[in-house]
Amino acid sequence: MADTTLMDKLVSLCKRRGFIFQSSEIYGGLGSVWDYGPLGVELKKNVKDRWWHAMVHARDDIEGLDAAILMHPKVWEASGHVAGFTDPLVDCRHCKNRFRADDPRIKGTPGQPDAQCPVCGSKGTLTEPRLFNLMFKTFMGPVEEQAAVVYLRPETAQGIYVNYINVLNSSRQKVPFGIAQIGKAFRNEITPGNFIFRTREFEQMEMQFFVKPGTDEEWFERWRGWRMEWCQGLGLTPGRLRFHRHGPDELAHYAKDAFDIQYEFPFGWQEIEGVHNRTDFDLGRHQQYSGKKLEYFDQAANQRYIPYIVETSAGADRVTLTLMVDAYREEIVEGETRVVLGFHPALAPIKAGVFPLVKKDGMPELATEVYHALKRRFPVFYDDSGAIGRRYRRMDEAGTPFCVTIDGETVANRTVTVRHRDSMAQDRIGVDQLETYLREQLGA
Ligand code: ATP
C-alpha cells in the first residue's frame, strides 16, 4: 500500500463509518476544520479520558482546570503571542495563492522579478514577505473597534499560568506541583493539512508543572520519560515513536530545552507532543504585565521565587489521528479485502457488536436482552441487518474488538459466540459470564 493512499483511505473510512466529517460539508466545507461523528467523538474522548486519568486522577501532585477560551488581551501581549506568533507569508498576485515565505517550492526571492509561483508558475508575481499573526481575532461587546479586540486562545497554557495562584491558594498543593487542562485552541495556520494533523481549531491536552529553580532539569527529564511511556501505552507500533530534541535554532523564545515526541506518519516523522522547559519566563512576564506578585513562598527553604515550568503539550486530535494511522490495516480473507482498525481495546469507540444470527426463532429477542445488559457497562452496538459476515466487517472497520452473536445454540443453552477482531477466532461463552469475560478482555 503506497503511503500517500493510506491517508486518502483513512479520510474516506472516517466519513463512511462516522468518525470524522468535513466541517460545513454541504456548503463545500471550511478549510482545515473537521467535525467528529459518533465514532470519532468516542475515540477522541477515550484519548482525553486516558490522559486525564494518567495526569490528574492517578497523581497526587496535579490539579485539573478548565479555563475560558477568551482571555484578557494583555495575556497575549505578556505571552509574546501578539508580537511573536507570526509567520512571514507571500501572495501570488496572479493566482491569489498564499505561501509561507520559506516554502521550499518557491524558486528565487519573493518580491523580486526572478521569484516563481509554485502553483501557477508566473514569474515576478510573488509579493514581499509579510508577517501574518496566527491568532484569530474577534470583538467583545457590540462595537467592533480596536479597544474591543479579543483573541481565541492559540494554546491552553496561558489559562493555567494566570490561574496558578488561584489553584495554589485553593488546593493543598506545594511546589513541585502541576495543573492540567484539556481544551480547544485556535490557530489561523497558513499551511494546514494532512487531515486532522494540522487544523485551525483543535484540542490540546496540556500540563504545566511548577518546580523550584535548579530542579527544573531533573523534572524535565522525568516528564520526558513519563510522557513517552504514556504514548507507548496507547498501543502504537514500537519503532514508530521517537524523541526529537530541539536544536538552538528551533527552540521557542521561552524555552531552555525542548523535546518533541514524534510519530512516523505516512508523510514523515512529525510531532505529536512537546515537552518544554519554559523556565520562569511565563510567570515572570505575567507578573510584569499584570503588576501582581506571582512569587511562591517556599516554607521549607524559607525562600521566595518564581517557579520554573516544565510543560507537556499534546494535541488530542493529533493523538487521535496517530491511533487511526497506526491501527489501519488491510488483509485478504477468503479472497476479499478486510479493512481493520486494530485499536487497543481500551481506546476502541465501540467495545462489542451484538448480533442475532437471523431475524427469527427467538434470536432477536435474546440478542436485544444481551445488548441491553451489556449497554449498561460498555458502549455496544446492535446490528441485525445483512449477512453476518458483512456485520463483522463493519465492526472491523469501526475497530470494535469483539462481536457477540446470538444463534440457535443460544436459544437452546444460553451460550453465545464471541468473535475476536484481530484473530477472528471465536469462543463460546455463557450469557451469564459474558460481562465478566468482556471486562477481563478489555482490561476494564
Ligand atoms: P507544529 O509545529 O506541528 O504546528 P507546534 O510546535 O506549533 O506544532 P505546540 O505549540 O508545541 O505545537 O503545540 C503542542 C501540541 O499541540 C502539538 O504537539 C500538537 O499535537 C498540537 N497542535 C499544535 N498545533 C496544532 C494544529 N494546528 N492542529 C492540531 N494540533 C495542533
Side-chain angles (χ1 to χ4, degrees):
M1 185 174 27
D3 276 352
T4 43
T5 63
L6 170 62
M7 292 307 288
D8 294 337
K9 287 180 177 176
L10 206 54
V11 172
S12 73
L13 184 152
C14 281
K15 179 168 176 184
R16 188 166 71 242
R17 288 283 157 247
F19 280 92
I20 296 166
F21 311 120
Q22 202 181 6
S23 160
S24 323
E25 192 184 335
I26 60 168
Y27 289 98
L30 182 67
S32 286
V33 185
W34 298 88
D35 297 340
Y36 287 76
L39 294 190
V41 70
E42 294 291 339
L43 181 62
K44 186 157 81 149
K45 186 174 175 299
N46 290 343
V47 169
K48 291 186 286 183
D49 287 351
R50 202 173 167 84
W51 186 89
W52 194 260
H53 177 78
M55 300 299 268
V56 182
H57 292 171
R59 298 187 64 107
D60 294 328
D61 55 358
I62 300 186
E63 303 289 336
L65 180 76
D66 184 12
I69 289 171
L70 299 177
M71 302 182 73
H72 194 290
K74 273 197 132 181
V75 167
W76 307 111
E77 287 174 34
S79 70
H81 283 87
V82 171
F85 199 51
T86 49
D87 274 350
L89 287 186
V90 300
D91 290 309
C92 173
R93 287 191 209 92
H94 183 245
C95 69
K96 310 290 181 218
N97 273 294
R98 177 170 272 189
F99 312 93
R100 283 169 72 128
D102 60 359
D103 191 322
R105 297 170 304 161
I106 296 178
K107 294 199 185 78
T109 313
Q112 301 298 315
D114 67 317
Q116 190 175 12
C117 172
V119 170
C120 70
S122 305
K123 276 201 164 174
T125 55
L126 294 181
T127 60
E128 292 268 354
R130 283 177 300 202
L131 290 179
F132 177 85
N133 197 289
L134 298 184
M135 279 197 295
F136 280 96
K137 259 187 202 170
T138 187
F139 300 95
M140 196 145 186
V143 188
E144 295 196 2
E145 60 182 15
Q146 188 55 33
V149 165
V150 288
Y151 300 96
L152 300 188
R153 67 180 176 201
E155 61 177 31
T156 58
Q158 301 300 326
I160 295 181
Y161 304 144
V162 301
N163 276 297
Y164 134 83
I165 291 285
N166 285 337
V167 173
L168 196 60
N169 290 344
S170 58
S171 67
R172 312 212 48 182
Q173 296 294 348
K174 292 187 171 68
V175 168
F177 81 106
I179 304 177
Q181 167 163 240
I182 298 177
K184 289 265 185 175
F186 302 82
R187 295 183 190 175
N188 203 356
E189 299 276 7
I190 312 312
T191 50
N194 285 321
F195 196 24
I196 56 167
F197 178 80
R198 181 171 288 114
T199 54
R200 295 197 165 105
E201 174 177 341
F202 54 99
E203 264 182 293
Q204 289 189 311
M205 307 183 290
E206 295 198 303
M207 190 284 302
Q208 314 293 323
F209 206 75
F210 301 83
V211 304
K212 185 174 180 182
T215 64
D216 49 303
E217 289 179 16
E218 63 199 70
W219 277 108
F220 179 77
E221 279 309 307
R222 275 186 204 127
W223 275 111
R224 190 161 84 84
W226 286 333
R227 293 311 304 154
M228 180 57 104
E229 272 172 32
W230 186 83
C231 291
Q232 288 163 340
L234 298 170
L236 301 171
T237 309
R240 288 227 162 124
L241 283 171
R242 72 174 189 195
F243 282 118
H244 163 75
R245 188 179 202 162
H246 285 209
D249 52 330
E250 283 174 282
L251 276 181
H253 59 281
Y254 53 74
K256 172 171 160 187
D257 200 356
F259 275 88
D260 292 342
I261 296 176
Q262 294 185 328
Y263 176 80
E264 189 179 18
F265 287 95
F267 42 91
W269 285 96
Q270 298 285 345
E271 167 183 347
I272 56 173
E273 170 158 354
V275 182
H276 310 125
N277 182 343
R278 300 182 67 124
T279 68
D280 57 359
F281 174 84
D282 305 280
L283 292 182
R285 293 274 287 198
H286 283 303
Q287 175 164 287
Q288 183 191 340
Y289 278 68
S290 68
K292 298 275 174 348
K293 276 250 168 291
L294 297 179
E295 282 176 342
Y296 173 75
F297 178 61
D298 188 331
Q299 274 179 326
N302 195 24
Q303 234 181 329
R304 276 182 201 284
Y305 53 78
I306 292 189
Y308 268 39
I309 290 174
V310 175
E311 168 186 70
T312 72
S313 174
D317 311 83
R318 231 177 245 190
V319 172
T320 303
L321 177 65
T322 310
L323 290 177
M324 290 193 293
V325 165
D326 202 77
Y328 186 95
R329 62 174 197 266
E330 293 177 8
E331 298 166 356
I332 304 294
V333 177
E334 291 164 10
E336 273 191 44
T337 304
R338 163 174 112 112
V339 174
V340 186
L341 286 180
F343 296 129
H344 184 314
L347 291 157
I350 302 171
K351 305 305 182 197
V354 180
F355 314 145
L357 184 61
V358 289
K359 280 198 253 182
K360 56 180 186 185
D361 302 333
M363 290 180 215
E365 290 77 9
L366 258 175
T368 311
E369 181 192 317
V370 168
Y371 167 71
H372 283 296
L374 290 180
K375 200 172 163 58
R376 288 185 292 130
R377 301 275 170 239
F378 323 102
V380 290
F381 182 77
Y382 185 87
D383 190 0
D384 63 5
S385 69
I388 191 80
R390 295 186 72 85
R391 283 182 259 167
Y392 285 148
R393 294 289 178 274
R394 285 199 286 265
M395 286 293 100
D396 290 342
E397 281 198 343
T400 306
F402 304 102
C403 289
V404 176
T405 301
I406 283 75
D407 54 18
E409 256 190 74
T410 320
V411 181
N413 63 12
R414 288 188 72 83
T415 62
V416 294
T417 63
V418 178
R419 180 239 193 209
H420 297 243
R421 174 195 65 204
D422 296 331
S423 64
M424 292 185 284
Q426 301 199 3
D427 291 336
R428 196 128 206 132
I429 309 285
V431 169
D432 298 344
Q433 277 94 57
L434 193 53
E435 188 185 315
T436 314
Y437 175 86
L438 287 179
R439 190 182 318 214
E440 277 167 13
Q441 297 282 328
L442 291 164

